[in-house]
Amino acid sequence: EACAAEQRQEFAMLKGQEPHVRAFVHHAVEVGVPFFPIALKVLLKGSGLLPSLLQRPYWECVDLPEENPTAFLEEIKGDLLASWELLQKLDLPCKPDSLEAYSRLVGSLCLNAVAVKYAH
């Protein structure tokens, strides 16, 4: 119950923006990029990330496939641009000033993600 109350408080500033939030999250799910909603949650905190963490754009932080890496890069840049455009429709206390800044935020989240694989 306390966790639910904390979540409601954290997301309260999005009240009245539900269609835009749903569109933003739907896009993230559709393209399979969990870092977009995580970036939204960071932005809701109002503080962003330390500039020292925002070193590389998103497309430099993902593993490229061996087959047709150029097309993959164009695809993820397009996904990022669509996410940025959807983010612009949201009223947030701490929104990146540019697509480049948003790309670095998403990139920092991608670089700091840790995957853990357990033996079965």
Side-chain angles (χ1 to χ4, degrees):
E1 184 65 32
C3 182
E6 184 179 320
Q7 290 292 323
R8 279 192 298 279
Q9 181 181 355
E10 186 173 335
F11 291 100
M13 69 182 59
L14 294 175
K15 192 165 179 76
Q17 302 184 69
E18 290 86 352
H20 296 307
V21 174
R22 277 193 286 280
F24 182 86
V25 173
H26 176 75
H27 169 69
V29 170
E30 189 175 71
V31 298
V33 182
F35 304 111
F36 296 157
I38 296 170
L40 176 60
K41 189 163 180 164
V42 168
L43 294 171
L44 285 172
K45 295 284 187 184
S47 60
L49 294 174
L50 297 173
S52 60
L53 295 176
L54 306 175
Q55 297 298 313
R56 296 170 60 194
Y58 171 57
W59 54 85
E60 291 182 9
C61 302
V62 296
D63 294 328
L64 298 178
E66 290 181 22
E67 210 171 289
N68 210 352
T70 303
F72 181 76
L73 275 175
E74 291 307 311
E75 180 182 333
I76 65 171
K77 286 180 179 182
D79 295 342
L80 182 75
L81 176 60
S83 179
W84 167 251
E85 290 170 347
L86 291 165
L87 183 70
Q88 294 310 297
K89 297 177 182 180
L90 296 172
D91 182 23
L92 301 172
C94 180
K95 207 176 334 186
D97 295 334
S98 65
L99 174 60
E100 174 73 18
Y102 181 57
S103 175
R104 290 177 183 277
L105 170 60
V106 175
S108 70
L109 296 169
C110 182
L111 282 177
N112 289 292
V114 177
V116 178
K117 184 174 182 179
Y118 295 96
H120 296 285

